[in-house]
Structures are given as C-alpha cells and as structure tokens.
Amino acid sequence: MISQFIIRRLPRYYRYLLQLEELSVESVSSAQFANAMGLTASQIRQDLNTFGAFGRQGYGYNVRILKSKISELLGLAAEKKTILIGVGNLGRAVIMYKDFIHRGFLLCGAFDVSAEIIGSKIGDITVQSIENMEKYLKETPADVAVLCIPSVAAKDVVSALWKCGVTAYWNFSHYDVKNDYPEAIVENVHLNDSLSVLSYEISRN
Amino acid sequence: MISQFIIRRLPRYYRYLLQLEELSVESVSSAQFANAMGLTASQIRQDLNTFGAFGRQGYGYNVRILKSKISELLGLAAEKKTILIGVGNLGRAVIMYKDFIHRGFLLCGAFDVSAEIIGSKIGDITVQSIENMEKYLKETPADVAVLCIPSVAAKDVVSALWKCGVTAYWNFSHYDVKNDYPEAIVENVHLNDSLSVLSYEISRN
DNA sequence: TAGATTGTTAATCGATTAACAATC
DNA sequence: TAGATTGTTAATCGATTAACAATC
C-alpha cells in the first residue's frame, strides 16, 4: 500500500514534467527536480523509486519517459465516463472546466432538479432532470459522479448512484460518502476548509 | 510553529461542531469526536491541547465553547476584504459561493480583462476592468485576492496586487505565487491535482 | 465517593533526510 | 576513465498512538 503522501505529490510532479517537456528539456536530475518542487533530492528519488527505477546514474531522469510513467501510474490515459449532479454555479464551472478531459474524465451528462435549468445547454451538455438519472445510467453506465449539490441532497443522490453502479465520486459537498459507503472511491474538495486554512494563516500575522 | 497537519484538520473539527450545535448537543467526548472524524481519541486530544485545555475531565468538551475556540483560532470572525480576479465560469461560481462570508471573507470587487464581461453584474458585484484594479485598491485596500485566472496571466496580476499591498491569495491557478513572493500567504486549490488523485484511486481497482 | 474522561508523558510508527556504494 | 547522479540502506525527525495519573 503506497502512502497517500506520495500519491498526492505525483500530480505536481506530473505538471512539472509537462512544463519541462514544453520547454524541450530532455532530462532532469533529482536535485533540479527537488529545487523546483521545494523538496529534497532524497525525497524525489525515494518517491519515484516506490514505483520503479526510472532514472539513470550520471544522467538523471528522462523527462518524456518519466512523464509517461507518472501518467500511467495516475491512470490519466484511461477514459473515465463521468456525470455531474447539480448544475448551479459551481456545477457549470466544472462542466466548462477544460482540463477535465486531460485527466481522462469524459463528461457524458449533467443532472439537476430545477425546472429552470433542465433542458438548458452548458457547453456540449444538455442538462437533464434528475428523475431521468437512473434510467440514463442503465443505458449508459458511468464510472464517476461529480457532486455539486448541497449536503442535504447528497445522501439520496449517492444512494441512487451507488445502486446504478457508480462507485467513484468527486465530491464538492460536505456529505461524507465514505461513511455510508466505505467501499466508495471518493475525492473530496472542501473549498470551505481551504478558505478556513487561509483565514488561519492570515490571522496568524 | 504548529504543524500543518493539525491546522488542516481544524476546519473539519469546526464543521463537525457546527453540526452538533445544530442538533443541540451540549458536550462531546474525544472518543465520540474521534469516531465521527475517523481518527483516534488520542489524536483529537493532542490536536486540541496544542492550543489549550478546552475540555473537562469526566465531561468532555462543551460544543459551544470548543466551536468558538476553534473559530477564534482560525480567525473566522475577522473581516477579510477580498477581491476576485478572473470572472470566468470558476470566478462566477466563487462570487456566488455563499459560505465565503461565513468564513469572514467579504467580497468587495471583481476584475476581468474581457470587454464582454466588464460592467456585468454577478450577484451584488459589478465586474470592473482589470485596468481599474490598481486605482481601486489605492482607494479601497484589500487583504485577499482570489485568483481565477490562467497561469500565464497570474504572474503579472500578482505583481500588481503585491505592489498594492495584497499579501494573501486564494489561488486556483497553477502559478506558484510563493516562488516569486516567499512572504505571501497562499492557499492553493489545484482541482487538476485532486482529479489526478481520483484517477489514481480508480485505476488502482 | 466512584466513574468518566481529560491532559500529558512515553512509546511507536512512519515519513523524511542523509549517506554512500553502484553504475551510467 | 572520471564525474555525475541514481538506487537504496541507515539515521533522524516528527506525527500518531498508547498509557495513565490528574481531576471534574
């Protein structure tokens, strides 16, 4: 079992390698890498060696190869069929979020309860009634659901999604999916908590 | 210097206490608390004791008191004058984000480069031209800037903001503010990285 | 007073850093 | 071959957990 600390550093490594590739840099040493990330060279080497020996002594790491290794580790190339629930301001923002597809998430549908929103088009996506959701998923199964709904609504929505075989969640609500479905794959984005930490740092000055 | 690990747990503690308060729960033991958070009672007690002895033997922690202590620690009551740069889909979502104010962030202005957006009203906020920004900040200083702009634009924008005395940033871009301004207070929200971690967890199955 | 539960010290565990032999 | 830099083992540091005396 690989430590969460390592996993959470990989996306940053990946982004750095994307940058280097754009600058046509061929190789990078753990020292350079560490410097850019604000970490130690030791840590970079330890982190990478958790997954294999991707470097070469006296040369460093080949940018293109390392990038593709990390991409593979993160499973970014795999297509993940995704639906979104809750087309409020945040939901709309996520639908329009371009980098989505660069991480392999293919947005197939969006659902809402509000009659005013149902039927409207956001980018390529036409918003459907949430009442269609179960029927829709029976015909076109999805891997991931993005939850852009209030916590109170989330419990019932996830219950329906879970029954339809949706096991992974990108959760912007405060509903604790793992608590009710310990098997679920959940990545929480708690903007509130992030703001609170910022508030703490500000008040400390 | 208090560990980042502890700080990042406090907002969750705070949310839990809000919930308990709504349910009119008077007190909570570290065991109950730990159970709800998926942590150990030891850790709850250690975390809280970093800041003071808020509990009482044989009773536990008073919900109302502990909540207000944590709120104070996080500086949530302090008013933080905030502006937002970049009124795209994400920027709009953040402007409409209601919990903002519950963490003490008072949104005073929003700025964009696009002529189509300038002058339009999002909620209570009228979008201004980014060319007005420096003049605006001279008249009405701000503490915090929310960066909802592409990384390429961020460097120049932050340079201008920093000159105007804005030292804290809620950063949705991939521009590394700390690298250029080590003194800056920065909280990054990297949605990309969050998605990548989700992708990893999915592909691991 | 007895029971419950904290505050706090000590023990453990795991993450990070240092060191260096291996090797390109 | 000499220099650079990895892969990997050992040492350190800090976070978490366990234990228990203090006390409400």
Side-chain angles (χ1 to χ4, degrees):
Chain A
M1 179 60 121
I2 290 151
S3 141
Q4 278 293 311
F5 294 93
I6 297 175
I7 302 304
R8 295 206 164 263
R9 280 192 291 267
L10 291 182
R12 272 184 73 213
Y13 295 174
Y14 181 71
R15 280 195 281 121
Y16 177 58
L17 291 163
L18 281 176
Q19 273 180 45
L20 290 179
E21 199 182 40
E22 246 170 57
L23 300 169
S24 303
V25 176
E26 193 200 295
S27 75
V28 62
S29 71
S30 58
Q32 284 176 271
F33 208 129
N35 195 254
M37 299 289 102
L39 304 169
T40 64
S42 257
Q43 183 162 40
I44 297 290
R45 293 204 300 279
Q46 289 276 28
D47 280 1
L48 297 178
N49 275 70
T50 319
F51 304 102
F54 305 140
R56 220 167 74 215
Q57 283 94 332
Y59 168 83
Y61 298 86
N62 180 282
V63 170
R64 203 171 42 74
I65 292 174
L66 186 57
K67 194 203 91 179
S68 86
K69 286 285 179 193
I70 294 185
S71 169
E72 205 179 302
L73 283 169
L74 293 172
L76 300 182
E79 188 182 276
K80 296 159 282 275
K81 293 212 167 58
T82 305
I83 59 169
L84 181 142
I85 327 290
V87 189
N89 293 290
L90 179 63
R92 244 188 295 269
V94 174
I95 293 173
M96 299 302 289
Y97 185 53
K98 277 178 273 163
D99 280 349
F100 221 73
I101 195 67
H102 295 132
R103 299 298 183 271
F105 293 84
L106 184 66
L107 193 64
C108 304
F111 300 86
D112 203 289
V113 284
S114 160
E116 291 158 41
I117 296 167
I118 294 164
S120 69
K121 225 172 163 192
I122 320 284
D124 299 336
I125 301 286
T126 304
V127 181
Q128 301 178 55
S129 167
I130 197 143
E131 292 179 6
N132 284 0
M133 193 177 73
E134 298 189 42
K135 184 163 163 287
Y136 171 91
L137 285 170
K138 253 162 219 149
E139 291 162 13
T140 39
D143 308 298
V144 184
V146 184
L147 304 177
C148 297
I149 48 180
S151 304
V152 278
K155 200 183 172 81
D156 288 346
V157 166
V158 172
S159 162
L161 287 165
W162 187 258
K163 275 185 210 137
C164 293
V166 178
T167 54
Y169 299 88
W170 201 29
N171 179 31
F172 287 80
S173 87
H174 285 145
Y175 169 61
D176 188 353
V177 180
K178 280 263 187 192
N179 195 57
D180 289 342
Y181 307 90
E183 308 283 289
I185 297 165
V186 184
E187 173 70 12
N188 292 311
V189 181
H190 290 328
L191 296 177
N192 256 341
D193 293 6
S194 173
L195 263 186
S196 299
V197 171
L198 181 60
S199 177
Y200 170 83
E201 299 292 346
I202 291 167
S203 74
R204 222 167 46 93
N205 282 35
Chain B
M1 178 60 120
I2 289 150
S3 140
Q4 278 293 310
F5 294 93
I6 298 176
I7 302 303
R8 294 203 166 268
R9 281 191 291 266
L10 291 183
R12 274 184 72 214
Y13 295 174
Y14 180 71
R15 280 195 281 122
Y16 178 57
L17 290 163
L18 281 177
Q19 274 180 45
L20 290 180
E21 199 181 40
E22 248 169 57
L23 299 169
S24 303
V25 176
E26 193 201 295
S27 76
V28 62
S29 71
S30 58
Q32 285 176 271
F33 208 128
N35 195 255
M37 298 289 102
L39 304 169
T40 64
S42 258
Q43 183 162 40
I44 297 290
R45 293 205 300 279
Q46 288 277 27
D47 280 1
L48 297 178
N49 274 71
T50 319
F51 304 102
F54 305 139
R56 218 166 76 214
Q57 282 95 333
Y59 168 83
Y61 299 86
N62 180 282
V63 171
R64 203 172 42 74
I65 292 174
L66 187 57
K67 195 203 92 182
S68 86
K69 286 284 179 194
I70 295 185
S71 168
E72 205 179 302
L73 282 168
L74 293 172
L76 300 182
E79 189 182 276
K80 296 160 280 277
K81 293 212 168 57
T82 305
I83 59 169
L84 181 144
I85 328 290
V87 188
N89 293 289
L90 179 63
R92 244 187 295 270
V94 173
I95 293 173
M96 299 303 288
Y97 186 51
K98 276 178 274 164
D99 280 348
F100 221 74
I101 195 67
H102 295 131
R103 297 299 183 271
F105 292 85
L106 183 67
L107 193 64
C108 305
F111 299 86
D112 203 289
V113 285
S114 160
E116 291 158 41
I117 296 168
I118 294 165
S120 68
K121 224 172 164 191
I122 319 285
D124 299 336
I125 301 287
T126 303
V127 180
Q128 302 178 56
S129 166
I130 196 142
E131 292 178 6
N132 285 359
M133 193 177 75
E134 298 189 43
K135 184 162 164 285
Y136 171 92
L137 284 171
K138 252 161 221 150
E139 290 161 15
T140 38
D143 308 297
V144 184
V146 184
L147 304 177
C148 297
I149 47 180
S151 304
V152 279
K155 199 183 173 80
D156 288 345
V157 166
V158 173
S159 161
L161 287 166
W162 188 258
K163 274 184 211 136
C164 294
V166 177
T167 54
Y169 299 88
W170 202 28
N171 179 31
F172 287 81
S173 87
H174 284 144
Y175 169 60
D176 187 353
V177 180
K178 279 263 187 192
N179 195 58
D180 290 343
Y181 307 89
E183 308 282 291
I185 297 165
V186 185
E187 173 71 12
N188 292 309
V189 180
H190 291 326
L191 296 177
N192 256 340
D193 293 5
S194 172
L195 263 185
S196 299
V197 171
L198 181 60
S199 176
Y200 170 82
E201 299 292 345
I202 291 167
S203 73
R204 223 167 46 96
N205 280 35

